[in-house]
Amino acid sequence: MLIYAFRDAHGTWHGDPDAEIHETQPGRGTLTLPPTPPGEAPGLFDGRRLDVLYATCSLEAAQESYRLDDGGSFPATWHVHELLSPAYLPPHAEPAHTSPAPHRKTGVNLELRSEDRRYSLSADYLGEGRMELTAIVCTLDGIVQGELTGELDACDLGELGRLIASVPTTPPGRSAAPDLPASTTKATRHGEAWTAEAVDHLKDHYQAGKTPGELAQDLGRSEKSIRWKLYGLKLAPYPADLVPEQRTSPQPKPPKAYTVEEKRKTHPNAYRPWTPDDEQHLSERCAQGASLQDLAQEFGRDPGAIASRLQKIDAEGPAADEAERFHV
């Protein structure tokens, strides 16, 4: 029996509320989390009363158990545990039973769902005020649509979020750039209605031999406007060169032909967050002379993920040397 989903005071469900369970109806209860201890940074739901769902399911279980308000105690899925556990330790606040590690790192893992997508974001806090972000977009059945990973200073995250939110969405097949005028003539009367006097001037001087460019200067309009007006007056042929070519919508890129679950068949720990203990062990095995392929098998991760992590923790050893060549 695992706690696989919970609802906050705003009515928003977190975790995996759509998970396939083995019971007809899930168990329901309430869980009141303790407030944030003095001197520690708050978790996402510290001090809140949550409605939880628990049942037998095939999701991955965390080692921690949570005691409900009615006295029942259940372990949570790893996803729920990541949301309910403290988000991170405050700077320089190491647990009393551990010694400070040079690459100590904690993080936050969040997930949102739309009608046809799952969006997961993990934020790992690195040393010296930096953080690593990993975003994965999947379909509801787990097919990976896109991945994004990178590092930045934690103080820049808010501004980056506002920048992303301000990006306009341009409909496919349309350009956000305006059409350029047919000439460099400044159109001082652009958009104004044609007067009878302006039309007479256009007819007389065009028939007298003036070019559309010269008439554009006379009338304060663009050359493109002059040519379309001449066509409308049946004084000039259809300006086919001014008609933009029909743009076709770009073909969507096919989704990557694997799912997170399929990836974990060969690399059981793919996309799972790295723990400080994992990184410490990885650094030690690298120093002992393990190869990149050996570490990939031992840690259940893709060689590229191992190479990236070795570089991030400044590991030393043969595998670290391989990692530098791996990304060249």
Side-chain angles (χ1 to χ4, degrees):
M1 300 285 283
L2 300 177
I3 299 175
Y4 65 91
F6 63 93
R7 181 172 57 186
D8 60 26
H10 302 290
T12 302
W13 284 99
H14 304 270
D16 297 286
D18 298 324
E20 183 177 349
I21 61 176
H22 300 161
E23 284 80 15
T24 305
Q25 293 293 333
R28 294 176 178 267
T30 58
L31 171 65
T32 302
L33 294 177
T36 305
E40 293 190 10
L44 296 176
F45 300 96
D46 282 4
R48 300 188 185 184
R49 188 169 183 267
L50 309 170
D51 297 324
V52 303
L53 299 178
Y54 55 89
T56 305
C57 56
S58 57
L59 297 176
E60 181 181 4
Q63 296 181 351
E64 298 287 340
S65 294
Y66 292 85
R67 182 174 295 277
L68 304 186
D69 295 352
D70 62 5
S73 181
F74 300 96
T77 65
W78 186 253
H79 185 191
V80 168
H81 172 63
E82 288 176 329
L83 296 173
L84 297 182
S85 60
Y88 57 90
L89 292 174
H92 312 300
E94 292 288 339
H97 62 279
T98 62
S99 58
H103 304 292
R104 175 71 176 177
K105 182 162 50 173
T106 53
V108 179
N109 291 270
L110 301 174
E111 181 173 305
L112 294 175
R113 295 192 181 205
S114 65
E115 293 183 356
D116 59 352
R117 288 289 189 273
R118 287 164 46 194
Y119 304 89
S120 63
L121 174 68
S122 65
D124 289 331
Y125 292 85
L126 309 176
E128 300 180 354
R130 291 188 64 78
M131 64 191 306
E132 179 188 45
L133 297 178
T134 300
I136 303 175
V137 182
C138 300
T139 60
L140 294 182
D141 55 359
I143 298 177
V144 176
Q145 299 292 300
E147 305 169 41
L148 181 65
T149 302
E151 291 185 15
L152 77 166
D153 286 334
C155 61
D156 296 327
L157 181 59
E159 293 300 325
L160 179 61
R162 281 187 282 273
L163 180 63
I164 294 175
S166 67
V167 175
T169 55
T170 304
R174 296 184 60 184
S175 173
D179 292 333
L180 297 175
S183 71
T184 58
T185 302
K186 185 176 181 179
T188 58
R189 298 181 181 276
H190 181 70
E192 292 186 11
W194 284 83
T195 63
E197 292 79 5
V199 171
D200 291 339
H201 181 95
L202 178 66
K203 290 180 179 179
D204 294 341
H205 288 79
Y206 180 71
Q207 291 173 340
K210 276 198 171 185
T211 65
E214 292 171 333
L215 290 169
Q217 293 180 353
D218 290 348
L219 298 172
R221 295 177 181 271
S222 67
E223 184 176 337
K224 179 187 294 186
S225 174
I226 295 295
R227 291 181 62 191
W228 278 112
K229 189 63 176 178
L230 290 171
Y231 169 71
L233 296 172
K234 300 186 183 334
L235 296 176
Y238 180 73
D241 59 304
L242 298 182
V243 180
E245 295 181 2
Q246 184 177 2
R247 300 182 177 95
T248 57
S249 300
Q251 294 296 321
K253 294 182 179 180
K256 296 184 178 181
Y258 64 86
T259 67
V260 173
E261 290 74 16
E262 290 172 344
K263 187 87 170 180
R264 287 178 176 171
K265 290 180 180 179
T266 53
H267 305 292
N269 291 319
Y271 301 114
R272 301 191 194 282
W274 285 83
T275 67
D277 289 342
D278 289 339
E279 293 184 339
Q280 181 67 30
H281 184 50
L282 178 67
S283 179
E284 293 173 353
R285 292 288 294 119
C286 182
Q288 291 169 1
S291 69
L292 189 64
Q293 191 61 41
D294 291 339
L295 294 176
Q297 295 179 355
E298 182 176 341
F299 285 83
R301 296 177 184 267
D302 184 272
I306 296 293
S308 177
R309 190 59 48 168
L310 288 171
Q311 291 182 318
K312 292 183 188 304
I313 65 176
D314 296 327
E316 296 182 357
D321 297 336
E322 289 184 68
E324 293 181 2
R325 297 190 297 271
F326 191 91
H327 291 291
V328 173

